[in-house]
Amino acid sequence: MEIFQYTVAIFLGLWALYYLIRKFRPKNKPATVQGCGRGCGC
Amino acid sequence: MIKNINVALIGNPNTGKTSVFNALTGLNQKVGNYPGITVEKKQGSCRLDRITKARILDLPGTYSLNASSMDESVVVELLLNKNDPDFPDVAVVVTDVENLKRNLLLFTQIKDLEIPTVLVINMSDQMQRKGIKIDIEKLEEKLITSVVLVSTRQNSGVEKLKQILIDYRSISTLPILDPTTIDQDYFENLGKAFPNQSLYKLWLVITQDVNFTKLERQKVPDSTQFKTQSQSYLKKLQQRETIKRYQSINQILKETYRVNREEATDLRSKLDNLLIHKFWGYVIFFMILLIIFQAIFDWSSVPMDFIDSSFARMSEWIKTQMPAGILTDLIAEGVVSGLGGIVIFIPQIAFLFLFISILEETGYMSRVVFLMDRGLRKFGLSGKSVVPLISGTACAIPAVMATRNIENWKERLITILVVPFTTCSARLPVYMILISLVIPNDRLLGINYQGLTLMGLYLIGFLMAIVSASILNRLLKSPNKSYFVVEMPNYKLPLLKNVAITVWEKTRSFVVEAGKIILAISILLWFMASFGPGEKFSNAEQIITQQYSNEALNDLELENKIASFKLENSYIGILGKTIEPIILPLGYDWKIGIALISSFAAREVFVGTLATIYSVERDAEETIKTRMAGETRSDGSRLFNLPTGISLMLFYAFAMQCMSTLAIVKKETNSWKWPGIQLFSMTIIAYLSALMAYQILK
């Protein structure tokens, strides 16, 4: 039982780490969906 | 011999075009489709006099000749194709007396096609009620055309329109806008290439996706060569055309069109007079805000307490029902406590969006936008900045994206930089818990102090946004200005279904989006709080038992001492202790420091983090509120007292505690420079205000 509890707890910990890294890592979107930043609407 | 003429009725949607059509044609009308498309084609006939018969075509409603839908393309195609049997001898542009400015954009475009064009100002019976006065003669002179005031309700003006149509050849076909003022080089070259063509017609052929087979193509064989300019450049020219037209319309209406709202007698105008009044408009807006924030506190306290105690019971239940072990502790102390910290705020979020959606549905929000526009211009913000600033009360991310429609880069950048100051819904949980801990639940003249504080925090955020915008306006230079048109919808009763959908959607996304982040962070925090390096952590029990061997502590007291010691020496404790010297002058201890770090992912994580940290240390059956209220400093005084509470609230009001917003600002400005500046300056402002508040109040 103790091994089961440890396994699930570690799995949850790894999931939490993976989720947060994936959530907040900078995304490289294709240039077509990015504004050029100069306000020209491109 | 009967003379037949083609008359096209053109106008913006909802201008009463069909009523004019009915008044002219009576029962002589038929409805069909335009060939190949399912756009309704309405035609009718009208005997203008003994020898003139008009074939009247009611064209689909369109806002401009820059077609964006199939209905609008029908209008452009017909007006550009002289060979079409429906091509009008005379165009009648039907406008609505209340929205003449917007309607005249289409009129000037049609007039520039050099077709005889009559301007019909419909719904003229509304003029008196709305306090509108028009100098028709001057308007005719400025627009170089005939203008008729028509009221189909009172059946007036239709006969005059018929007379003008009989004599349509006398109507001038002189254009209003000289296209070379849009871009001299481009249009002069166009004129040289096609010397006998109307420049404006050529321009429409180039920019509009019209059906070229129907056009007089032999006359414009190489129109496509002028598409050599990029699509974005052509779009820019189109925008410039619209701005030029509105500039000339504004000038014309300034001399010919007056609205005296004080003379208006209809209910809508009366309400508008009050709601967008220079003084009373703001008073009413603040009264409405006050009622909303009072209600949020009064109505949500019962469900909030219920949810809080339910989660505490759930945590206790898990501890007693599941076999003892690391997973049980993780779920009871980490997951349930962390989730409780988000679910508890569902009632407030739901009430906030209930009120916001009711204000939107009734049409009041557009008045607020108008009211704010007047005030904001002085601070370097565009009227268009109002929408992002107001939507920032929900979340800064869509608000930053909403700045895309601000053409002027400087105004857009200022808006992006100041939007995170407006109080987003993620700050609400932090404010709610701190207010309920440090502000007394008393009333003065029926006004609850807690609601008043919450309103003050919303206003302080908005005020800081304006002050920052004003400073940035002086620092950044730009010569251009953008234009802002807001249409005031009619007042109406809110549709229950729409309100319910908005409340559900916003609450759901708050719980789901924030919930996942909080769950993940709570799990990691629990691990960091439950394990630690070195002897101190592993021998905590032994050290504390020895330390307190001379004091008569009961089991529970001893257990709490051990838990506190372990937490202090856990990974999270060490991290918190490291940053403690920086935050101590603000009145925060290392545990609040941990919450500050973790809530950088999202502000609402603050409460969940404290709930998790305290639950590792304290009894599971305690609610979040009692755990926080019970926290003490080393001298035994309450940690969450008024100075610390105010200091924390100010910190959260001004700090850029949101990773997602920084990411979206980077995306929108295409550099890390601006989010970097934003993070640095907002953190400094937050730190200094929190420091001042604590040092003054303590």
Side-chain angles (χ1 to χ4, degrees), chain B residues 25-90:
Chain B
T25 59
L27 292 172
N28 301 317
Q29 42 177 276
K30 59 176 182 182
V31 179
N33 270 355
Y34 284 92
I37 45 173
T38 52
V39 174
E40 198 178 72
K41 182 179 187 179
K42 277 173 93 177
Q43 285 185 85
S45 63
C46 165
R47 196 68 180 251
L48 297 176
D49 65 3
R50 254 178 347 102
I51 55 160
T52 321
K53 194 176 169 188
R55 207 161 71 85
I56 317 248
L57 186 64
D58 184 9
L59 288 168
T62 177
Y63 286 105
S64 74
L65 290 186
N66 303 330
S68 56
S69 70
M70 208 184 266
D71 294 30
E72 292 177 342
S73 299
V74 165
V75 180
V76 185
E77 281 191 20
L78 173 68
L79 297 178
L80 287 176
N81 186 9
K82 270 194 172 161
N83 295 333
D84 193 311
D86 291 333
F87 185 81
D89 297 298
V90 55

Side-chain angles (χ1 to χ4, degrees), chain A residues 1-31 33-42, chain B residues 232 236 239 322-331 335 404 406-409 412 513 516-517 519-521 523-524 526-527 531 601-602 659-660 666-670 672:
Chain A
M1 196 62 201
E2 208 174 328
I3 292 170
F4 169 75
Q5 289 223 3
Y6 262 101
T7 314
V8 178
I10 289 168
F11 170 77
L12 279 174
L14 291 174
W15 168 82
L17 205 58
Y18 166 75
Y19 177 80
L20 289 174
I21 291 170
R22 206 188 50 166
K23 179 89 191 165
F24 293 112
R25 76 157 176 235
K27 293 177 186 78
N28 286 321
K29 291 244 172 95
V33 295
Q34 286 186 345
C36 73
R38 290 186 189 87
C40 62
C42 70
Chain B
S232 66
K236 210 180 224 176
Q239 286 171 358
M322 279 179 66
I326 182 173
L327 182 65
T328 307
D329 288 346
L330 169 62
I331 294 173
V335 177
R404 284 179 189 172
I406 304 175
E407 303 91 4
N408 182 295
W409 172 233
R412 184 173 173 222
E513 287 305 310
K516 276 193 272 185
I517 298 171
L519 180 68
I521 288 182
I523 291 171
L524 289 184
W526 182 86
F527 273 106
F531 296 94
M659 236 139 86
S660 310
K666 189 255 163 189
K667 200 180 136 207
E668 293 296 312
T669 59
N670 219 14
W672 279 111

Side-chain angles (χ1 to χ4, degrees), chain B residues 629-640:
Chain B
E631 263 309 282
T632 52
R633 294 176 199 276
S634 51
D635 62 3
S637 63
R638 267 183 71 188
L639 176 67
F640 289 98

